[in-house]
Amino acid sequence: EDVPDASGVVGEEIVQLLSVHGALPLGRIAREIRISMKRLEPHVAELERAGTVSTETHAARDGKKLRVVALAVPASVAISGGGSAGRRAG
């Protein structure tokens, strides 16, 4: 089942794609990971709630709105689920 989860497979694919290409429109993300916009949007919303990505709406050339998604944190932190903060050596 395709339940939106910031740490799930689709979430990881989105983060990986953004870490390689930088900010991308929702439509490009959907094409790259081969899912529908309808399935993509809840995953992006969950990643945004988790603080992993941010979205901005821009005016496209044709007058429509273009939603662009970008990583909100460095990709290495987003992929690993956190940095070394809070870990003790030993």
Side-chain angles (χ1 to χ4, degrees), residues 13-75:
E13 286 185 79
I14 294 167
V15 169
Q16 180 64 32
L17 189 64
L18 295 174
S19 70
V20 171
H21 297 285
L24 293 171
L26 275 178
R28 167 106 185 257
I29 296 169
R31 284 192 304 276
E32 292 282 340
I33 64 175
R34 295 184 170 93
I35 67 172
S36 69
M37 289 285 285
K38 186 177 182 176
R39 284 184 56 212
L40 175 64
E41 288 175 337
H43 290 282
V44 170
E46 186 60 32
L47 287 168
E48 194 165 23
R49 276 192 291 277
T52 304
V53 302
S54 61
T55 60
E56 291 184 2
T57 303
H58 300 275
R61 286 183 218 148
D62 60 6
K64 295 181 181 176
K65 292 181 180 177
L66 181 67
R67 284 185 57 206
V68 176
V69 183
L71 287 176
V73 294

